[in-house]
Structures are given as structure tokens and as C-alpha cells.
Amino acid sequence: MTMTSKLQLAAFVPKLLEELSQFGADPRGGVTRLLYTAEWLEAQQYLAQQMRELGMDVYFDRVGNLFGRLQGSSGEGPVVMTGSHIDTVQSGGYYDGAYGVAAGITALAHLKEAYGQPVKTLEVVSLCEEEGSRFPLTYWGSGNMTGLYDTEQDAERYDAAGISLQAAMLACGFGKPEQRDPRRSDIAAFVELHIEQGPVLEQRQLSVGIVEAIVGQHRYTVTVGGTANHAGTTPMPLRRDALAGAAAMIVQLETAAILTGSPLVATIGKLTTTPNTPNVIPGFVSFTVDVRHIDETAIQQFCQTVFKQFEEIAGERELYVTIDQWMEAAPAPMDRQLRDRLSRIAEQMSLPYTVMPSGAGHDAQLLSGVCPTAMLFVPSRGGISHSPDEYTSPEQLVDGTAILSALLYELAYEEK
């Protein structure tokens, strides 16, 4: 990547992100761009126009995934693809998802201008949905590409206003049988560039993070039962306090996670007490447990050990405990060869980097099941994401885009 090229990227990437942020700009700050809303559709149409002006062939699939294509000279062979998603959480930031799309468009435009037609076809995708902010599902874009979803069977989901996914999709002009099937079997490699959404790179003063694996996630609801009773007349030794028992379990979970060490993390995200009254000993408590690690066996062993300890705590306090699992997502290792290429490119560009897990889920997690996949992070200021305060400097945006461009060049121009 020459200095002239980096200056071009420095001008274009932040400009594209700034213009994209106007679609769904929230008066309270940040961006709200939910799947199949007017703001979402305007953003996809804007990006489609940008792709056309940069010389790409543009098309949508049946669910509204947007593609910009540079046809390869080798014909209709496997496609080298990059991109991310454009939907946001409520009042989200400018960069989450959108950066990967803007960087992908920029990289393809740069490669076309500098080197002409690729040998292998290059595509950038603006995936329609990843966050799950409107309908009770996630990864609707990449999930349709990889066969996780069936457009007809899974479209009968409803948002908070009672609008079905199918109706919202049709209102935006998608979901029609004659439109292009979203499922893909022609992807040679997928590379996703993303902000870190965490503090590691900034704290270590590193330019990029090369993802070794996206963590697996197990989520549970733990219910603790005791006896609700009067807070003033029930002696301490005679209580069956569900909240006190749950508190002991929560402390035990935190202690076990700290002793296990990185990259395992465990979180209590939601806690509900019943009857939730100041002068009544809680009779029932439920709380969620979220456990993540890049190794499935490590997750299972940790959960088995901790949940046995929960049962022991319940027995000591004459309580009962039930544990119900409601989510299980397997870890997604990234392709080793692509990781090694990214490491070499970062070294050649004198950009300090680390190899790290991704503690959050991403579209690359699904694509890794159908093709070699890589993921690259750039720093997030303060580790903040899903917030109007989300920020990554233009220089850091350029560094990530430069590495992405170099990898895409190797994959699409150098390899026969």
C-alpha cells in the first residue's frame, strides 16, 4: 500500500461513514437503523449508488443483502468476499458493522483503480441484518446466505408493533420468489473488518487485532426457589432466602471465572426477584448466565463444574435450583492460513498487532461454516460500542482498510 493510496483511503473511508450515518440519525445521538425500515432501505440504496459510481456491478438478493461485484477474468469461479452489516442497535454508533461495509467498498474501488480487473471475482456485501434489534432473530443476512434460515419458514416473526418480518420485507421490495436466492455456495474466502468493541487494542497501543476465533456462547436461566416470608418476624437461621442463595451462586460464578482465566468470561445479565417487595424475604429468584470461550470443551467443563456448585449451595440453604439452557452457539475458529497472511501483511506495513479472540458474535461466525474466513479488528476508543460515543480515529480506520486491501489483492489478483 503506497502513501498515495493511504491518503486516498484516509479521505474516502471517513467520508463514506459520515454520509451513511445520516440515514437513521437519532436526535438523541447516534444512529437507529433497524431492518426493513425506511432508514435502512435508504442506506442500502445509497450504498448501491456509491458502488455503481465506483464501477461495480450491483445487485440485491431476496432478503435485501446488497452486493458490489468486480468480475474476475477467470470467469464464474469462486468469489472472494468482504463486508459486514448496516443495521444498528437503538441509538447505536457510526462504526459497528458500517465500517466493514465502507472499508470493503473502498478496498474494491482502490484495487480496481490501481490494478484493473481481478483474476478472481471480488464482492463486497452490505448484509441486511446482524443485530437482532427489531425482530427476535439475529444474523438474518448472513444466516440466509449460509442456510441457517429459510426465507419463507422463518419470516413469520413479529416486531414490537406486531409487524411481521415477511410484511416488512415485502414493504421494502424484497421477499419475492423471483428475486435472487440468498444462499451462496460459491464463496472462496470471506474477510470481515470490524471495530473491536472492546478495550484491548487501545490499552495495548496496537493498530490491529487478528481474530483467532469467535467465542462460543452458552446462555442459561437459573431459577432458585425458597420460601417467601415476613422480613421482620423470620429469624435468620430459619430463612430459606432465594435471593441470598442466588447471591452466593453469583459470587461463586465470578470467582470460578476469574480462576479459570482468559479467554473465558461469565456474566449475570438479568436478575428477577419475587415478590420483589422491601419487607418480604424473596421466595423465587431467576437470573441469566452467559458463558463464552473459544473452546467448546472449556465452556462445557466450566458450566458443569459451576452448576454442580450451584446445586451444593442450594442444598446447604434448603433451596431448590433449576437450570435451563436456551442458547448454544459453537465457537468459530478463523482460517489459519488467512490469519497468517494478515499477520505477515501487518508486519510488512509495520503495524503493531496481536492475535486475539472475538468476545462478540459477528457474521464471520456463520460464514466460517461454509468457506475459509478471516476477521480483523481496529481499536475502539474506551472500548465503547453500541453507543453514540463509539469512535475509531480516521488513521485507525485507514490502517484496517489498508490491510484488508492488501489481503484482497493477494486472494483475487495473485492467485490463479
Side-chain angles (χ1 to χ4, degrees):
M1 182 67 61
T2 65
M3 182 57 65
T4 300
S5 298
K6 292 195 76 170
L7 289 173
Q8 291 172 340
L9 299 182
F12 194 74
V13 179
K15 176 177 179 291
L16 198 55
L17 285 170
E18 179 64 30
E19 292 176 357
L20 187 59
S21 72
Q22 303 309 304
F23 302 101
D26 197 314
R28 296 167 293 182
V31 182
T32 300
R33 193 163 53 233
L34 309 184
L35 176 64
Y36 300 143
T37 59
E39 298 81 9
W40 172 91
L41 182 59
E42 290 170 356
Q44 287 287 66
Q45 291 171 337
Y46 162 77
L47 290 173
Q49 182 60 32
Q50 293 297 306
M51 292 174 181
R52 291 189 189 97
E53 291 178 2
L54 292 167
M56 302 177 202
D57 297 324
V58 177
Y59 66 94
F60 285 92
D61 67 17
R62 190 179 302 149
V63 296
N65 292 321
L66 167 65
F67 299 85
R69 181 180 178 98
L70 297 180
Q71 179 64 47
S73 61
S74 61
E76 296 299 325
V79 172
V80 176
M81 185 179 294
T82 187
S84 194
H85 62 95
I86 64 146
D87 68 308
T88 71
V89 297
Q90 190 78 31
S91 299
Y94 287 8
Y95 304 90
D96 179 4
Y99 169 50
V101 178
I105 293 172
T106 304
L108 263 65
H110 159 73
L111 292 170
K112 179 177 183 293
E113 181 179 2
Y115 305 106
Q117 185 181 22
V119 177
K120 289 184 179 178
T121 297
L122 273 169
E123 286 191 352
V124 55
V125 59
S126 176
L127 292 160
C128 63
E129 193 274 344
E130 187 254 17
E131 297 286 5
S133 298
R134 182 178 180 186
F135 296 96
L137 47 70
T138 55
Y139 308 112
W140 180 244
S142 57
N144 273 279
M145 288 176 61
T146 58
L148 175 66
Y149 294 119
D150 180 279
T151 310
E152 295 182 5
Q153 295 181 3
D154 292 300
E156 289 305 311
R157 314 285 184 100
Y158 294 85
D159 67 7
I163 300 171
S164 74
L165 177 62
Q166 180 70 25
M169 185 162 48
L170 289 169
C172 285
F174 300 107
K176 301 174 183 178
E178 65 271 18
Q179 292 173 318
R180 188 186 291 252
D181 188 339
R183 185 143 188 189
R184 299 290 293 265
S185 59
D186 63 338
I187 306 174
F190 179 77
V191 186
E192 184 172 8
L193 178 56
H194 209 280
I195 59 169
E196 182 194 351
Q197 301 179 278
V200 174
L201 296 178
E202 182 183 57
Q203 289 188 357
R204 294 178 61 183
Q205 297 183 326
L206 299 171
S207 297
V208 291
I210 298 168
V211 176
E212 59 180 324
I214 299 173
V215 297
Q217 301 181 40
H218 286 206
R219 296 185 188 177
Y220 305 84
T221 296
V222 179
T223 301
V224 183
T227 301
N229 216 329
H230 197 289
T233 61
T234 309
M236 298 300 292
L238 301 181
R239 296 183 177 210
R240 297 176 61 234
D241 187 331
L243 181 55
M249 295 175 192
I250 292 168
V251 170
Q252 181 58 45
L253 178 80
E254 181 189 46
T255 301
I258 292 171
L259 290 174
T260 300
S262 181
L264 184 134
V265 292
T267 304
I268 308 296
K270 181 180 180 181
L271 185 145
T272 305
T273 66
T274 303
N276 201 29
T277 301
N279 62 345
V280 178
I281 299 164
F284 295 93
V285 172
S286 69
F287 58 90
T288 60
V289 174
D290 179 313
V291 180
R292 307 187 187 199
H293 197 287
I294 60 174
D295 181 81
E296 178 67 23
T297 300
I299 298 176
Q300 293 178 357
Q301 290 177 345
F302 177 84
C303 291
Q304 289 172 2
T305 299
V306 168
F307 293 155
K308 182 179 179 181
Q309 293 168 338
F310 283 8
E311 292 171 354
E312 292 171 354
I313 291 169
E316 292 167 357
R317 293 170 175 268
E318 298 184 21
L319 306 170
Y320 73 82
V321 60
T322 61
I323 301 167
D324 298 311
Q325 183 172 10
W326 51 273
M327 177 182 174
E328 181 176 349
M334 298 293 97
D335 183 77
R336 181 58 182 266
Q337 291 186 351
L338 292 177
R339 283 167 41 199
D340 290 345
R341 285 176 181 244
L342 287 170
S343 297
R344 175 177 46 77
I345 291 168
E347 290 168 1
Q348 290 172 345
M349 292 184 175
S350 300
L351 293 173
Y353 72 94
T354 188
V355 177
M356 63 187 295
S358 170
H362 296 283
D363 292 298
Q365 190 166 348
L366 273 68
L367 271 299
S368 69
V370 299
C371 67
T373 299
M375 189 157 198
L376 186 69
F377 285 157
V378 294
S380 297
R381 184 177 65 186
I384 295 172
S385 186
H386 284 183
S387 162
D389 294 329
E390 183 179 272
Y391 180 76
T392 298
S393 73
E395 294 78 15
Q396 292 164 334
L397 298 175
V398 170
D399 287 341
T401 308
I403 295 179
L404 174 67
S405 298
L407 179 59
L408 295 178
Y409 174 80
E410 291 187 6
L411 295 174
Y413 284 83
E414 292 188 337
E415 294 187 0
K416 300 296 186 288

Short mmCIF file of all heavy atoms in Angstrom, two decimals, residues 33-34 85-89 96-97 128-135 137-140 194 197 361 363 385-386:
data_model
loop_
_atom_site.label_atom_id
_atom_site.label_comp_id
_atom_site.label_asym_id
_atom_site.label_seq_id
_atom_site.Cartn_x
_atom_site.Cartn_y
_atom_site.Cartn_z
N ARG A 33 -30.96 2.34 12.87
CA ARG A 33 -31.25 1.87 11.51
C ARG A 33 -31.60 0.39 11.62
O ARG A 33 -30.75 -0.49 11.58
CB ARG A 33 -30.02 2.09 10.63
CG ARG A 33 -30.27 1.95 9.15
CD ARG A 33 -29.15 2.58 8.33
NE ARG A 33 -27.82 2.11 8.69
CZ ARG A 33 -26.79 2.92 9.00
NH1 ARG A 33 -26.96 4.24 8.99
NH2 ARG A 33 -25.62 2.42 9.31
N LEU A 34 -32.89 0.13 11.78
CA LEU A 34 -33.38 -1.22 12.01
C LEU A 34 -33.79 -1.88 10.70
O LEU A 34 -34.17 -1.21 9.73
CB LEU A 34 -34.56 -1.20 12.98
CG LEU A 34 -34.35 -0.42 14.29
CD1 LEU A 34 -35.57 -0.58 15.19
CD2 LEU A 34 -33.09 -0.90 15.02
N HIS A 85 -22.36 -5.66 8.18
CA HIS A 85 -23.79 -5.34 8.21
C HIS A 85 -24.02 -3.85 8.39
O HIS A 85 -23.16 -3.14 8.91
CB HIS A 85 -24.48 -6.10 9.35
CG HIS A 85 -23.95 -5.74 10.72
ND1 HIS A 85 -24.53 -4.79 11.53
CD2 HIS A 85 -22.87 -6.19 11.41
CE1 HIS A 85 -23.85 -4.67 12.65
NE2 HIS A 85 -22.83 -5.52 12.60
N ILE A 86 -25.22 -3.36 7.98
CA ILE A 86 -25.52 -1.93 8.14
C ILE A 86 -26.61 -1.66 9.16
O ILE A 86 -26.89 -0.48 9.45
CB ILE A 86 -25.92 -1.27 6.81
CG1 ILE A 86 -27.23 -1.87 6.28
CG2 ILE A 86 -24.82 -1.33 5.80
CD1 ILE A 86 -28.08 -0.87 5.56
N ASP A 87 -27.26 -2.68 9.70
CA ASP A 87 -28.26 -2.40 10.72
C ASP A 87 -27.57 -2.04 12.03
O ASP A 87 -26.38 -2.33 12.23
CB ASP A 87 -29.20 -3.59 10.92
CG ASP A 87 -28.49 -4.79 11.54
OD1 ASP A 87 -27.43 -5.18 11.01
OD2 ASP A 87 -28.99 -5.34 12.54
N THR A 88 -28.29 -1.39 12.93
CA THR A 88 -27.73 -0.93 14.19
C THR A 88 -28.62 -1.35 15.35
O THR A 88 -29.75 -1.77 15.17
CB THR A 88 -27.61 0.61 14.23
OG1 THR A 88 -28.93 1.18 14.33
CG2 THR A 88 -26.92 1.16 13.00
N VAL A 89 -28.10 -1.18 16.55
CA VAL A 89 -28.95 -1.22 17.74
C VAL A 89 -29.63 0.15 17.87
O VAL A 89 -29.36 1.07 17.11
CB VAL A 89 -28.12 -1.52 19.00
CG1 VAL A 89 -27.48 -2.88 18.91
CG2 VAL A 89 -27.07 -0.43 19.23
N ASP A 96 -20.00 0.39 14.07
CA ASP A 96 -20.31 -1.03 14.24
C ASP A 96 -20.99 -1.56 12.98
O ASP A 96 -22.10 -1.14 12.65
CB ASP A 96 -21.20 -1.22 15.46
CG ASP A 96 -21.59 -2.67 15.71
OD1 ASP A 96 -21.11 -3.56 14.98
OD2 ASP A 96 -22.38 -2.92 16.63
N GLY A 97 -20.35 -2.48 12.30
CA GLY A 97 -20.91 -3.02 11.06
C GLY A 97 -20.63 -2.13 9.88
O GLY A 97 -20.04 -2.55 8.89
N CYS A 128 -27.91 -7.32 5.30
CA CYS A 128 -29.12 -6.59 5.69
C CYS A 128 -29.33 -6.51 7.20
O CYS A 128 -29.91 -5.53 7.68
CB CYS A 128 -30.34 -7.21 5.01
SG CYS A 128 -30.69 -8.92 5.49
N GLU A 129 -28.85 -7.52 7.94
CA GLU A 129 -29.16 -7.53 9.38
C GLU A 129 -28.22 -8.46 10.13
O GLU A 129 -27.87 -9.53 9.64
CB GLU A 129 -30.60 -8.01 9.59
CG GLU A 129 -31.15 -7.77 10.98
CD GLU A 129 -30.82 -8.89 11.98
OE1 GLU A 129 -30.42 -9.99 11.55
OE2 GLU A 129 -30.97 -8.65 13.18
N GLU A 130 -27.80 -8.01 11.32
CA GLU A 130 -26.99 -8.84 12.21
C GLU A 130 -27.42 -8.70 13.66
O GLU A 130 -27.35 -9.64 14.43
CB GLU A 130 -25.51 -8.44 12.06
CG GLU A 130 -24.54 -9.34 12.82
CD GLU A 130 -23.97 -8.69 14.07
OE1 GLU A 130 -24.55 -7.68 14.54
OE2 GLU A 130 -22.98 -9.20 14.61
N GLU A 131 -27.88 -7.51 14.05
CA GLU A 131 -28.02 -7.15 15.46
C GLU A 131 -29.20 -7.79 16.19
O GLU A 131 -29.16 -7.96 17.41
CB GLU A 131 -28.14 -5.62 15.60
CG GLU A 131 -26.91 -4.85 15.13
CD GLU A 131 -25.74 -4.95 16.10
OE1 GLU A 131 -25.84 -5.69 17.09
OE2 GLU A 131 -24.73 -4.30 15.85
N GLY A 132 -30.29 -8.09 15.48
CA GLY A 132 -31.49 -8.57 16.17
C GLY A 132 -32.23 -7.49 16.91
O GLY A 132 -32.91 -7.76 17.91
N SER A 133 -32.15 -6.25 16.43
CA SER A 133 -32.72 -5.12 17.17
C SER A 133 -34.21 -4.92 16.93
O SER A 133 -34.88 -4.28 17.74
CB SER A 133 -32.00 -3.82 16.79
OG SER A 133 -30.64 -3.89 17.12
N ARG A 134 -34.73 -5.46 15.82
CA ARG A 134 -36.16 -5.26 15.54
C ARG A 134 -36.96 -6.55 15.70
O ARG A 134 -38.02 -6.55 16.33
CB ARG A 134 -36.35 -4.71 14.13
CG ARG A 134 -37.81 -4.44 13.80
CD ARG A 134 -38.04 -3.85 12.43
NE ARG A 134 -39.46 -3.63 12.21
CZ ARG A 134 -40.00 -3.23 11.06
NH1 ARG A 134 -39.22 -3.01 10.00
NH2 ARG A 134 -41.31 -3.07 10.95
N PHE A 135 -36.49 -7.63 15.12
CA PHE A 135 -37.21 -8.90 15.17
C PHE A 135 -36.45 -9.89 16.05
O PHE A 135 -35.24 -9.75 16.22
CB PHE A 135 -37.37 -9.46 13.75
CG PHE A 135 -38.22 -8.60 12.85
CD1 PHE A 135 -37.62 -7.68 12.00
CD2 PHE A 135 -39.60 -8.69 12.88
CE1 PHE A 135 -38.39 -6.88 11.17
CE2 PHE A 135 -40.38 -7.89 12.06
CZ PHE A 135 -39.78 -6.98 11.21
N LEU A 137 -34.61 -12.40 16.07
CA LEU A 137 -33.62 -13.24 15.42
C LEU A 137 -32.38 -12.39 15.17
O LEU A 137 -32.42 -11.17 15.24
CB LEU A 137 -34.13 -13.84 14.10
CG LEU A 137 -34.85 -12.94 13.08
CD1 LEU A 137 -33.92 -11.97 12.40
CD2 LEU A 137 -35.53 -13.81 12.04
N THR A 138 -31.27 -13.04 14.89
CA THR A 138 -30.03 -12.35 14.57
C THR A 138 -29.43 -12.97 13.32
O THR A 138 -29.80 -14.07 12.91
CB THR A 138 -29.01 -12.46 15.72
OG1 THR A 138 -28.80 -13.84 16.02
CG2 THR A 138 -29.51 -11.74 16.97
N TYR A 139 -28.50 -12.24 12.69
CA TYR A 139 -27.80 -12.73 11.50
C TYR A 139 -28.75 -13.09 10.36
O TYR A 139 -28.53 -14.05 9.63
CB TYR A 139 -26.94 -13.96 11.85
CG TYR A 139 -26.01 -13.79 13.01
CD1 TYR A 139 -26.21 -14.48 14.20
CD2 TYR A 139 -24.91 -12.92 12.93
CE1 TYR A 139 -25.35 -14.33 15.28
CE2 TYR A 139 -24.05 -12.76 14.01
CZ TYR A 139 -24.27 -13.46 15.17
OH TYR A 139 -23.42 -13.32 16.23
N TRP A 140 -29.78 -12.29 10.17
CA TRP A 140 -30.74 -12.59 9.10
C TRP A 140 -30.06 -12.52 7.73
O TRP A 140 -30.39 -13.29 6.83
CB TRP A 140 -31.91 -11.62 9.17
CG TRP A 140 -32.97 -11.79 8.13
CD1 TRP A 140 -33.33 -10.90 7.15
CD2 TRP A 140 -33.87 -12.90 7.98
NE1 TRP A 140 -34.36 -11.40 6.41
CE2 TRP A 140 -34.72 -12.63 6.88
CE3 TRP A 140 -34.01 -14.12 8.65
CZ2 TRP A 140 -35.72 -13.52 6.45
CZ3 TRP A 140 -35.00 -15.01 8.22
CH2 TRP A 140 -35.84 -14.70 7.13
N HIS A 194 -13.79 -5.03 11.25
CA HIS A 194 -14.75 -4.55 12.25
C HIS A 194 -14.00 -3.77 13.33
O HIS A 194 -12.82 -4.00 13.56
CB HIS A 194 -15.46 -5.74 12.90
CG HIS A 194 -16.85 -5.47 13.39
ND1 HIS A 194 -17.09 -4.84 14.60
CD2 HIS A 194 -18.05 -5.74 12.86
CE1 HIS A 194 -18.41 -4.75 14.78
NE2 HIS A 194 -19.02 -5.28 13.73
N GLN A 197 -14.82 -3.14 19.52
CA GLN A 197 -15.90 -3.08 20.51
C GLN A 197 -15.42 -3.47 21.91
O GLN A 197 -16.22 -3.88 22.76
CB GLN A 197 -17.08 -3.97 20.10
CG GLN A 197 -17.69 -3.61 18.76
CD GLN A 197 -18.83 -4.51 18.37
OE1 GLN A 197 -18.62 -5.60 17.85
NE2 GLN A 197 -20.04 -4.08 18.61
N GLY A 361 -20.28 -11.88 18.92
CA GLY A 361 -20.61 -12.60 17.70
C GLY A 361 -20.57 -11.68 16.49
O GLY A 361 -20.81 -10.47 16.61
N ASP A 363 -20.92 -11.75 11.80
CA ASP A 363 -21.33 -12.51 10.62
C ASP A 363 -20.27 -13.51 10.20
O ASP A 363 -20.59 -14.58 9.66
CB ASP A 363 -21.65 -11.55 9.46
CG ASP A 363 -22.90 -10.74 9.73
OD1 ASP A 363 -23.99 -11.33 9.86
OD2 ASP A 363 -22.80 -9.49 9.82
N SER A 385 -18.89 0.63 22.51
CA SER A 385 -19.63 0.31 21.29
C SER A 385 -21.11 0.24 21.61
O SER A 385 -21.51 0.28 22.77
CB SER A 385 -19.14 -1.02 20.70
OG SER A 385 -19.76 -1.26 19.46
N HIS A 386 -21.94 0.15 20.56
CA HIS A 386 -23.40 0.18 20.72
C HIS A 386 -23.81 1.45 21.46
O HIS A 386 -24.67 1.44 22.33
CB HIS A 386 -23.91 -1.05 21.46
CG HIS A 386 -23.93 -2.28 20.60
ND1 HIS A 386 -24.42 -3.49 21.03
CD2 HIS A 386 -23.52 -2.51 19.33
CE1 HIS A 386 -24.31 -4.39 20.08
NE2 HIS A 386 -23.77 -3.81 19.03
#
